[in-house]
Amino acid sequence: MRVLAVGAHPDDLELLAGGTLARFGADGHDVTMCHVASGNRGSYHATAAEIAATRLAEARTAAAEIGALHATLGIPDCEVNASDPVQRRLAVDLVRRHRPDLVLTHSPGDYMADHNETSRLLFDASFFASVPLFETTEEPYGVVPALYYLDTINGLGFLPTEYVDISTVLEVKTRMLAAHASQLEWLREHDGVDVLADMRTAAAYRGLQCGVRFAEGFTACLTSLRVRTHRLLP
Amino acid sequence: MRVLAVGAHPDDLELLAGGTLARFGADGHDVTMCHVASGNRGSYHATAAEIAATRLAEARTAAAEIGALHATLGIPDCEVNASDPVQRRLAVDLVRRHRPDLVLTHSPGDYMADHNETSRLLFDASFFASVPLFETTEEPYGVVPALYYLDTINGLGFLPTEYVDISTVLEVKTRMLAAHASQLEWLREHDGVDVLADMRTAAAYRGLQCGVRFAEGFTACLTSLRVRTHRLLP
Amino acid sequence: MRVLAVGAHPDDLELLAGGTLARFGADGHDVTMCHVASGNRGSYHATAAEIAATRLAEARTAAAEIGALHATLGIPDCEVNASDPVQRRLAVDLVRRHRPDLVLTHSPGDYMADHNETSRLLFDASFFASVPLFETTEEPYGVVPALYYLDTINGLGFLPTEYVDISTVLEVKTRMLAAHASQLEWLREHDGVDVLADMRTAAAYRGLQCGVRFAEGFTACLTSLRVRTHRLLP
Amino acid sequence: MRVLAVGAHPDDLELLAGGTLARFGADGHDVTMCHVASGNRGSYHATAAEIAATRLAEARTAAAEIGALHATLGIPDCEVNASDPVQRRLAVDLVRRHRPDLVLTHSPGDYMADHNETSRLLFDASFFASVPLFETTEEPYGVVPALYYLDTINGLGFLPTEYVDISTVLEVKTRMLAAHASQLEWLREHDGVDVLADMRTAAAYRGLQCGVRFAEGFTACLTSLRVRTHRLLP
Amino acid sequence: MRVLAVGAHPDDLELLAGGTLARFGADGHDVTMCHVASGNRGSYHATAAEIAATRLAEARTAAAEIGALHATLGIPDCEVNASDPVQRRLAVDLVRRHRPDLVLTHSPGDYMADHNETSRLLFDASFFASVPLFETTEEPYGVVPALYYLDTINGLGFLPTEYVDISTVLEVKTRMLAAHASQLEWLREHDGVDVLADMRTAAAYRGLQCGVRFAEGFTACLTSLRVRTHRLLP
Amino acid sequence: MRVLAVGAHPDDLELLAGGTLARFGADGHDVTMCHVASGNRGSYHATAAEIAATRLAEARTAAAEIGALHATLGIPDCEVNASDPVQRRLAVDLVRRHRPDLVLTHSPGDYMADHNETSRLLFDASFFASVPLFETTEEPYGVVPALYYLDTINGLGFLPTEYVDISTVLEVKTRMLAAHASQLEWLREHDGVDVLADMRTAAAYRGLQCGVRFAEGFTACLTSLRVRTHRLLP
């Protein structure tokens, strides 16, 4: 199976689906991790160019932990916009290039605009990629892939309907997230949070809900052409 | 896996989950089909005792189609009551006897009281069966099984979150339902419906929703101890 | 058309649907107003028997305002119980006797148990009334009537989906409610509310929502056999 | 009454509301059918200009079946955007020109962006059309029309609250949809579906839900100025 | 302020609201902790009488940790039933005796029947306690108290709308819960869970959601007579 | 505390939160009232420039009633667009300039686009204001403020979860709203409504719901970084 996971910023995927992606990788599936926004505005110290470069390197390190391909759309932070035709084309090409069976992206009701726009951007693009006369760099991809939504940040407003047991890969997930050294530092300053500890708490809580040590939660986007009669998550 | 499916009246399970149960059976799982109410009041012509006997025989025929065990709680129609201690004990014993990994029963918001009470009866009993000092005829069963809700009659108020492809077993499902000859006749008189044709329409519609020819839809009861990290449905 | 409106206590129907019932009456429909509980416990001064007698008389006066029949199930206040077989039979007989096309009753999520139990009691009974071998005093009634839910007290937790313009009958509604002199006094003492003024506020607010001076709001119970393809409300 | 029905692509209206529009037409109401996107990208064989021309002709044929006017906004497929000021003006002019009592358009949560943007475009424009100093080609229209949402494709995520009996006009609806010969062929290739057969299944299923042979389902947009106290649907 | 907290079994309150109750106690409010069911069936080893006695002692120890009064209704486990008139009277007397400004009890959609019935029992009783002619041992209490629902077990199906910071009292909460030594052992055997560790995980997760170290989450029951215009929780 | 209230047009804040803002002012909090759109298109008689000037003066008068600062983003009516980068920058600067602890703005599901876009604009901007390298005229503001949604126009689709008692300030609210003389006239013409009377009806109805004479209702936006463990509303 080909899995395309798309987060707003570097580290979002690691935080919300790192364990699931690690399991996909371990099971031999082709995994691509993409961040839409470059992370270029999340720093008190570095310039935008510096922080974007740092975070790209960190994201590649994280993806490499599980043998995933890495991609980025390179949109500046705070500018993800699903209504923008240029971004739509970038996203359509992303889908067409990777031809996923399954797309993972943010929930449409998360805590800030880049997440919510990323959600809509991928919902839209993963359909448009199939339209033959929507011409972009890449060839049309005739399948409308299944689409799953990631948990929200800290789970607010989110009730998972499917859970993935990540107990055996929590340390992999931890390494993936720890690869984002600059972001861990930034979130400590900007939001006052210890990302690694909080991730562990969230994974343990989602685990409580489904009777395993550590888990991640998701919901399926159930619209026409996207529903499947078998489980797609590990 | 052991599957315990519990409908309100004879033919409810066949109508709402016959294909799924057929697939469970074909996959080698142990399936038990139970109706809670005897069906003893759904007739314009026969006495209560006659119609209950007829329908029990029909239900057994239907279960035999897929090699399922058959059981009944024998409650009179219109009297299913989840608050009733006697009925609760019957339901706990049903669960303890069959020790299911998975329970299928009605959605709690279906179209008439026997369905809704059956739903609550099994929700309650499938937990209480695990309580050691809740003493009944049978031994406690230490597992709180997963619980899935059947579609409602004609799908009103119901949005499935999981679908089962029943394309290959639609004819089996049709035979299971056709075994309820007396009920098909009664529903034609009482509600003016052609059950077999309507079932086929519903199966085709649920199929449209998930991209197969014929399907059945379900939702999972996501409360503590009941959530699983793998797919239980076929 | 035959309309059966069933409230928990004397004055609930007048408060929540008085205008709609007045319009049904004015349009020549057969209207029956029934209160399930006798109102026998809502007084600081009178005995239970006294207050029940007073309130029955008041309810009859109110029904007479619009030429409606009046009925009561005579359950004591605080004891309405949809699981109770005796009450179920009373409710089934009520339905069978009046053979309604439309039943109006409380929302299942109102502010106190008698309302919520009345809601379930009528949901259940309006189906069971059609079952031929559910034997009661009255003959089976072969139709499962449409069912609409009344607004909740003060509209909490309730979003109407259908509105009835009661601008032309507000004074009738006011007289119907004013007929409940003892209850108006009691609610002033028990809950500190001026029922007539509050009713007028609620009617004006529901009117704002639908662009008329005064209105009442309802939701339809959309379960199998109860959905209609034409408007039933005035 | 003047009815303005607006679908994303040619054939969406026929599929989701053809029967209801046929009934409006037969009842003597003025019906306008408009597609927002030209359908110019839904082909494996033709050029964009060819397919748009073909589909416009098909849409006109379909509208002619019921004596409806036909209009289009002529937006390219995959580019409907409710945030776009040019599209907003086109939609405002559409509303001002036809001065509808009732607007029908897509549900805001349908399966692809053109549908969802069409929904928002008409929600917005049907209000803005009433604003006097929002200057466009047409004169302001002082009424904010009622707005109903069409069923989603295959009914996913959609629970109708109002139903229209289309039993007597199913063949008209079938001819309307069959007029879209190129699209029927395209959907067979692109999504693997037989549109006519699936439409019939959906109509039969919605019919089951409301007790008629064939039906269509809708929900009302219940926001200020749009609520009515009488039924607008046939 | 007088606070009446009512859980299904000994330890439910400690688990779901121990920190909040500790804060109420520390702020000088009068707190009563009541368990409805005696806990008499949750053991593999002891008799029902033994385990009930043990758990009552444990519950009293826990309540004493925060200077709370303790009460119990003494219903056997698995038999809490909001429809039962005897239990209703016990609950009404509980409310009348303690005359609370605020009642805390289970969410109506928790994981097993005793919790859900407790929820309804207190919803019902906290209204009925105000009815003058509903005669019980105690005098009527003229106030319908505010009602808040506790989190569900492991938070399934629950989205808190109000949070209480329990960071400063987590160790008190831990001691309250640890007082239930027999239950901690039982849940380890019956459900395979480490209650103290899981409680800490849940408190940390709810804390993440509201930006403090440890928290508990609640929802308000917003029905007529229960809504307040000031915060009731600490 | 610093409170930033942002409505779509002049008079929206006065209508939906005037009493709450008056109480904030009376309690000594710093209140800023901002309208996003200039109100320049809501007139049958004046030019756009005239009406905008008139309404700005009216809005300032209203704000002065409670000692609030006044601000406007000056967007033309019918053009509020949360996806527009220029508007986003204006909104970010608004937040950065006023550094609010609490933002009040429209519900995302209100009756017309300017309201809904204002809601999203402030949701987005109140986060982006904290991002250090999102460079605008003003300095970054390191706090993500709490966000509350105003009631919708006429309360459609809205169930408040928090209420503010405005009984003591209803006359202040009335004066604030009456300051919008031109708008009161326009709404009488455009929508046929008497704003002052309708406001009083709505305030009385929300008061009924929470047991006071007059009230306003709100919901909290419960996403990460925005949840608080104390009451923010008066």
Side-chain angles (χ1 to χ4, degrees):
Chain A
M1 199 163 65
R2 287 182 303 275
V3 179
L4 174 61
V6 186
H9 308 99
D11 92 343
D12 280 323
L13 287 176
E14 291 80 352
L15 181 64
L16 300 172
T20 298
L21 296 174
R23 286 203 48 197
F24 272 127
D27 292 350
H29 297 293
D30 292 332
V31 178
T32 301
M33 296 173 67
C34 175
H35 57 263
V36 169
S38 63
N40 69 328
R41 281 175 167 149
S43 172
Y44 288 122
H45 315 299
T47 65
E50 286 168 356
I51 188 69
T54 300
R55 299 193 66 183
L56 179 59
E58 292 169 346
R60 285 176 174 159
T61 303
E65 278 284 348
I66 59 166
L69 289 177
H70 181 264
T72 177
L73 299 193
I75 313 297
D77 282 10
C78 312
E79 299 187 19
V80 184
N81 180 355
S83 300
D84 181 79
V86 175
Q87 295 189 28
R88 178 172 289 173
R89 277 170 187 280
L90 289 173
V92 165
D93 268 345
L94 178 76
V95 172
R96 287 178 169 179
R97 195 174 302 121
H98 293 285
R99 307 174 73 78
D101 300 290
L102 170 63
V103 172
L104 299 175
T105 193
H106 289 293
S107 164
D110 205 348
Y111 84 129
M112 57 88 78
D114 285 347
H115 286 223
N116 301 337
E117 292 293 312
T118 294
S119 181
R120 192 154 66 89
L121 188 65
L122 269 290
F123 175 85
D124 295 352
S126 57
F127 182 90
F128 287 139
S130 74
V131 177
L133 293 173
F134 188 83
E135 292 175 11
T136 63
T137 309
E138 305 286 333
E139 287 299 298
Y141 171 50
V143 173
V144 179
L147 178 61
Y148 274 73
Y149 292 126
L150 308 175
D151 207 333
T152 58
I153 299 297
N154 292 327
L156 285 147
F158 193 83
L159 295 173
T161 52
E162 297 193 34
Y163 289 82
V164 175
D165 183 352
I166 62 164
S167 306
T168 61
V169 293
L170 188 77
E171 297 320 314
V172 181
K173 175 173 181 168
T174 303
R175 286 197 304 274
M176 292 171 77
L177 195 51
H180 293 273
S182 71
Q183 177 69 355
L184 268 54
E185 182 192 341
W186 146 255
L187 281 170
R188 195 152 43 229
E189 292 180 67
H190 182 260
D191 297 336
V193 300
D194 175 345
V195 175
L196 289 181
D198 292 353
M199 175 276 279
R200 201 175 179 92
T201 293
Y205 190 76
R206 291 301 185 211
L208 281 181
Q209 296 190 321
C210 60
V212 303
R213 280 202 69 200
F214 297 105
E216 289 167 350
F218 301 86
T219 60
C221 171
L222 297 175
T223 58
S224 195
L225 305 181
R226 299 192 187 274
V227 183
R228 302 291 182 269
T229 56
H230 57 279
R231 182 173 169 103
L232 292 159
L233 297 173
Chain B
M1 199 164 66
R2 288 182 302 274
V3 178
L4 174 62
V6 185
H9 309 100
D11 91 344
D12 281 322
L13 287 176
E14 290 79 353
L15 180 64
L16 299 171
T20 298
L21 296 175
R23 286 201 50 196
F24 272 128
D27 292 349
H29 298 292
D30 292 333
V31 177
T32 300
M33 296 173 66
C34 174
H35 57 262
V36 169
S38 63
N40 69 328
R41 281 175 167 148
S43 173
Y44 289 122
H45 315 298
T47 65
E50 287 167 356
I51 189 67
T54 300
R55 299 193 65 184
L56 179 58
E58 292 169 346
R60 285 176 173 158
T61 302
E65 277 286 347
I66 58 165
L69 288 178
H70 181 264
T72 178
L73 299 194
I75 313 297
D77 281 8
C78 313
E79 299 187 20
V80 183
N81 180 354
S83 299
D84 181 79
V86 175
Q87 295 188 29
R88 176 172 291 175
R89 278 171 186 281
L90 289 174
V92 165
D93 268 345
L94 177 76
V95 173
R96 286 178 168 177
R97 196 174 301 119
H98 294 284
R99 305 173 75 79
D101 300 289
L102 170 64
V103 172
L104 299 175
T105 192
H106 289 292
S107 164
D110 205 348
Y111 84 130
M112 59 87 78
D114 285 347
H115 286 222
N116 301 337
E117 292 293 313
T118 294
S119 181
R120 192 153 66 89
L121 189 64
L122 269 289
F123 175 85
D124 294 352
S126 57
F127 182 90
F128 288 140
S130 74
V131 177
L133 293 173
F134 189 83
E135 293 174 10
T136 63
T137 310
E138 304 287 332
E139 287 299 298
Y141 170 50
V143 173
V144 178
L147 177 61
Y148 273 73
Y149 293 125
L150 307 176
D151 208 334
T152 57
I153 298 298
N154 293 326
L156 286 148
F158 194 82
L159 295 172
T161 52
E162 297 192 34
Y163 289 82
V164 175
D165 183 354
I166 63 165
S167 306
T168 61
V169 292
L170 188 77
E171 297 320 314
V172 182
K173 176 173 180 166
T174 304
R175 288 198 302 274
M176 291 170 78
L177 195 51
H180 292 273
S182 71
Q183 177 70 353
L184 266 54
E185 182 191 341
W186 146 255
L187 281 170
R188 198 156 37 231
E189 292 179 68
H190 180 260
D191 297 335
V193 300
D194 174 345
V195 175
L196 288 181
D198 292 353
M199 175 276 278
R200 200 173 179 93
T201 293
Y205 190 76
R206 291 302 186 210
L208 281 181
Q209 297 191 320
C210 60
V212 303
R213 279 201 70 200
F214 297 104
E216 289 167 349
F218 301 86
T219 60
C221 171
L222 296 174
T223 58
S224 196
L225 305 181
R226 300 194 187 272
V227 183
R228 301 292 183 267
T229 57
H230 56 279
R231 183 172 168 105
L232 292 158
L233 297 173
Chain C
M1 198 163 65
R2 288 182 302 274
V3 178
L4 174 62
V6 186
H9 308 100
D11 92 344
D12 281 322
L13 287 176
E14 291 79 353
L15 180 65
L16 300 171
T20 298
L21 296 175
R23 285 200 51 195
F24 272 128
D27 292 350
H29 298 292
D30 292 332
V31 177
T32 300
M33 296 173 66
C34 175
H35 57 263
V36 169
S38 63
N40 68 327
R41 280 173 168 152
S43 172
Y44 289 122
H45 315 299
T47 65
E50 288 167 356
I51 188 69
T54 299
R55 299 194 65 184
L56 178 59
E58 293 169 345
R60 285 174 173 160
T61 302
E65 277 285 348
I66 59 166
L69 289 178
H70 180 265
T72 178
L73 299 194
I75 313 297
D77 282 8
C78 312
E79 299 187 19
V80 183
N81 180 354
S83 300
D84 181 79
V86 174
Q87 296 188 27
R88 176 172 290 174
R89 278 170 186 281
L90 289 174
V92 165
D93 267 345
L94 177 76
V95 173
R96 287 178 168 178
R97 196 173 303 120
H98 295 284
R99 307 175 74 78
D101 300 289
L102 171 63
V103 172
L104 298 175
T105 193
H106 289 293
S107 164
D110 205 348
Y111 83 130
M112 58 88 77
D114 285 346
H115 286 223
N116 301 337
E117 293 293 314
T118 294
S119 181
R120 191 153 67 88
L121 188 64
L122 269 290
F123 175 85
D124 294 352
S126 57
F127 182 90
F128 288 140
S130 74
V131 177
L133 293 173
F134 189 83
E135 292 174 11
T136 63
T137 309
E138 305 287 333
E139 287 299 298
Y141 171 50
V143 173
V144 179
L147 178 61
Y148 274 73
Y149 293 126
L150 308 175
D151 207 335
T152 58
I153 298 298
N154 293 326
L156 286 147
F158 192 82
L159 295 172
T161 53
E162 297 193 33
Y163 289 83
V164 175
D165 183 352
I166 62 164
S167 305
T168 62
V169 293
L170 188 76
E171 297 321 314
V172 181
K173 176 172 180 168
T174 303
R175 286 198 302 273
M176 292 170 77
L177 195 52
H180 292 273
S182 71
Q183 178 69 354
L184 267 55
E185 182 192 342
W186 146 254
L187 281 170
R188 197 154 40 231
E189 292 180 68
H190 181 261
D191 297 336
V193 300
D194 174 345
V195 174
L196 289 180
D198 292 354
M199 175 276 278
R200 200 172 179 94
T201 294
Y205 190 76
R206 291 302 186 210
L208 281 181
Q209 296 191 319
C210 60
V212 302
R213 278 202 72 198
F214 297 105
E216 289 167 348
F218 301 86
T219 60
C221 172
L222 297 174
T223 58
S224 196
L225 304 181
R226 298 191 189 273
V227 183
R228 301 293 182 266
T229 57
H230 56 280
R231 182 172 169 104
L232 292 158
L233 297 173
Chain D
M1 197 163 65
R2 289 182 302 275
V3 178
L4 174 62
V6 186
H9 308 101
D11 92 346
D12 280 323
L13 288 176
E14 291 79 352
L15 180 64
L16 300 172
T20 298
L21 297 175
R23 286 201 50 196
F24 272 127
D27 291 351
H29 298 292
D30 292 331
V31 177
T32 300
M33 296 174 66
C34 174
H35 58 263
V36 169
S38 62
N40 69 328
R41 282 175 166 150
S43 172
Y44 288 123
H45 315 299
T47 65
E50 287 167 355
I51 188 69
T54 300
R55 300 193 64 183
L56 179 59
E58 292 169 346
R60 286 176 174 159
T61 302
E65 278 283 349
I66 59 166
L69 289 177
H70 180 264
T72 177
L73 299 194
I75 313 296
D77 282 10
C78 311
E79 299 187 19
V80 184
N81 180 354
S83 299
D84 181 78
V86 175
Q87 296 188 28
R88 178 173 290 174
R89 278 172 187 281
L90 289 174
V92 165
D93 267 346
L94 177 76
V95 172
R96 287 177 169 179
R97 196 173 303 122
H98 294 284
R99 306 174 76 78
D101 300 290
L102 171 62
V103 172
L104 299 175
T105 193
H106 289 294
S107 164
D110 205 347
Y111 84 129
M112 58 89 78
D114 285 347
H115 286 223
N116 301 337
E117 293 292 313
T118 294
S119 181
R120 192 154 66 88
L121 187 64
L122 268 291
F123 174 85
D124 294 353
S126 57
F127 183 90
F128 287 140
S130 75
V131 178
L133 293 173
F134 189 82
E135 292 174 10
T136 63
T137 309
E138 305 287 333
E139 287 300 298
Y141 170 51
V143 173
V144 179
L147 178 61
Y148 274 73
Y149 293 126
L150 308 175
D151 207 333
T152 58
I153 299 297
N154 293 326
L156 285 148
F158 194 83
L159 295 173
T161 52
E162 297 194 34
Y163 290 82
V164 175
D165 183 351
I166 63 165
S167 306
T168 61
V169 293
L170 189 77
E171 297 321 314
V172 182
K173 176 173 180 166
T174 304
R175 287 199 301 274
M176 292 171 76
L177 196 51
H180 293 272
S182 71
Q183 177 70 354
L184 267 55
E185 182 191 341
W186 146 255
L187 281 170
R188 195 154 43 230
E189 291 180 69
H190 181 259
D191 297 338
V193 300
D194 175 345
V195 175
L196 289 180
D198 292 354
M199 175 277 280
R200 202 176 178 91
T201 294
Y205 190 76
R206 291 301 186 210
L208 281 181
Q209 296 191 321
C210 60
V212 302
R213 279 202 71 200
F214 297 104
E216 289 168 349
F218 301 86
T219 60
C221 171
L222 296 174
T223 58
S224 196
L225 304 181
R226 298 191 188 274
V227 183
R228 302 292 182 266
T229 57
H230 56 280
R231 182 172 169 105
L232 293 158
L233 297 172
Chain E
M1 198 163 66
R2 288 181 302 274
V3 178
L4 174 62
V6 186
H9 308 100
D11 91 343
D12 281 321
L13 287 175
E14 290 80 352
L15 181 65
L16 299 171
T20 298
L21 297 175
R23 285 201 51 195
F24 272 128
D27 292 350
H29 297 292
D30 292 332
V31 178
T32 300
M33 297 174 65
C34 175
H35 57 262
V36 169
S38 64
N40 69 327
R41 280 174 168 149
S43 172
Y44 289 123
H45 315 299
T47 65
E50 286 167 356
I51 189 68
T54 299
R55 299 194 66 183
L56 179 58
E58 292 169 347
R60 284 174 173 161
T61 301
E65 278 285 348
I66 59 166
L69 289 178
H70 181 265
T72 178
L73 299 194
I75 314 297
D77 281 8
C78 312
E79 299 187 19
V80 184
N81 180 355
S83 300
D84 181 78
V86 174
Q87 295 189 27
R88 176 172 290 175
R89 279 170 185 282
L90 289 173
V92 165
D93 268 346
L94 178 76
V95 172
R96 288 178 166 178
R97 195 174 302 120
H98 294 284
R99 307 174 75 78
D101 301 289
L102 171 63
V103 171
L104 299 175
T105 193
H106 289 293
S107 165
D110 205 348
Y111 84 130
M112 58 88 78
D114 285 348
H115 286 222
N116 301 338
E117 292 293 312
T118 294
S119 181
R120 191 154 67 90
L121 188 65
L122 269 290
F123 175 85
D124 294 352
S126 57
F127 182 90
F128 287 139
S130 74
V131 178
L133 292 174
F134 189 82
E135 292 174 11
T136 64
T137 309
E138 304 287 333
E139 287 299 298
Y141 170 50
V143 173
V144 178
L147 178 61
Y148 274 72
Y149 293 126
L150 308 175
D151 208 334
T152 58
I153 298 297
N154 293 325
L156 285 147
F158 194 82
L159 295 173
T161 52
E162 297 193 34
Y163 290 83
V164 175
D165 183 353
I166 63 164
S167 306
T168 61
V169 293
L170 188 76
E171 297 321 313
V172 181
K173 175 172 181 169
T174 304
R175 287 198 302 274
M176 291 170 77
L177 195 50
H180 292 273
S182 71
Q183 177 69 354
L184 267 55
E185 182 191 341
W186 146 254
L187 281 170
R188 197 155 39 230
E189 291 181 68
H190 181 260
D191 298 337
V193 299
D194 175 344
V195 175
L196 288 181
D198 292 354
M199 175 276 279
R200 199 172 179 95
T201 293
Y205 190 76
R206 291 300 185 212
L208 281 181
Q209 297 191 320
C210 60
V212 302
R213 281 201 70 200
F214 297 104
E216 289 167 349
F218 301 86
T219 59
C221 171
L222 296 174
T223 58
S224 196
L225 304 181
R226 299 191 188 273
V227 182
R228 301 293 182 267
T229 57
H230 57 280
R231 182 173 169 103
L232 292 158
L233 297 173
Chain F
M1 198 163 67
R2 288 182 302 275
V3 178
L4 174 62
V6 186
H9 308 101
D11 92 343
D12 281 323
L13 287 175
E14 290 79 352
L15 181 64
L16 300 172
T20 298
L21 296 175
R23 286 201 49 195
F24 272 128
D27 291 351
H29 297 292
D30 292 332
V31 177
T32 300
M33 295 174 66
C34 175
H35 58 261
V36 169
S38 63
N40 68 328
R41 281 175 168 149
S43 173
Y44 288 122
H45 316 298
T47 65
E50 287 166 355
I51 189 69
T54 300
R55 300 192 65 183
L56 179 59
E58 292 169 347
R60 284 175 175 159
T61 302
E65 278 285 347
I66 59 166
L69 289 177
H70 180 265
T72 177
L73 299 193
I75 313 297
D77 282 8
C78 312
E79 299 187 20
V80 184
N81 180 353
S83 300
D84 182 77
V86 175
Q87 295 189 28
R88 177 173 289 174
R89 278 171 186 280
L90 289 174
V92 165
D93 268 346
L94 178 76
V95 173
R96 286 177 169 180
R97 196 173 302 122
H98 294 284
R99 307 173 75 77
D101 300 290
L102 170 63
V103 172
L104 299 175
T105 193
H106 289 293
S107 164
D110 205 347
Y111 83 130
M112 57 89 78
D114 286 348
H115 286 223
N116 301 338
E117 292 293 313
T118 294
S119 180
R120 192 154 66 89
L121 188 65
L122 269 288
F123 175 85
D124 295 353
S126 58
F127 183 90
F128 288 139
S130 74
V131 177
L133 292 173
F134 189 83
E135 292 174 11
T136 63
T137 309
E138 304 287 334
E139 288 299 297
Y141 171 49
V143 173
V144 179
L147 177 61
Y148 274 73
Y149 293 126
L150 308 175
D151 207 332
T152 57
I153 299 297
N154 293 326
L156 286 147
F158 194 82
L159 295 173
T161 53
E162 297 193 34
Y163 290 82
V164 175
D165 183 352
I166 62 165
S167 306
T168 62
V169 292
L170 188 77
E171 297 321 314
V172 182
K173 176 172 180 168
T174 303
R175 286 197 303 274
M176 292 171 77
L177 195 51
H180 293 272
S182 70
Q183 177 70 352
L184 267 55
E185 182 192 341
W186 146 255
L187 282 169
R188 196 154 41 229
E189 292 179 68
H190 181 260
D191 297 336
V193 301
D194 174 344
V195 176
L196 289 181
D198 293 354
M199 176 275 280
R200 201 175 179 93
T201 294
Y205 189 76
R206 291 302 186 210
L208 281 182
Q209 296 191 320
C210 60
V212 302
R213 280 202 69 200
F214 298 105
E216 289 167 349
F218 301 86
T219 60
C221 170
L222 297 174
T223 58
S224 196
L225 305 181
R226 298 192 188 272
V227 183
R228 301 292 181 268
T229 56
H230 56 281
R231 182 173 170 103
L232 292 159
L233 297 173

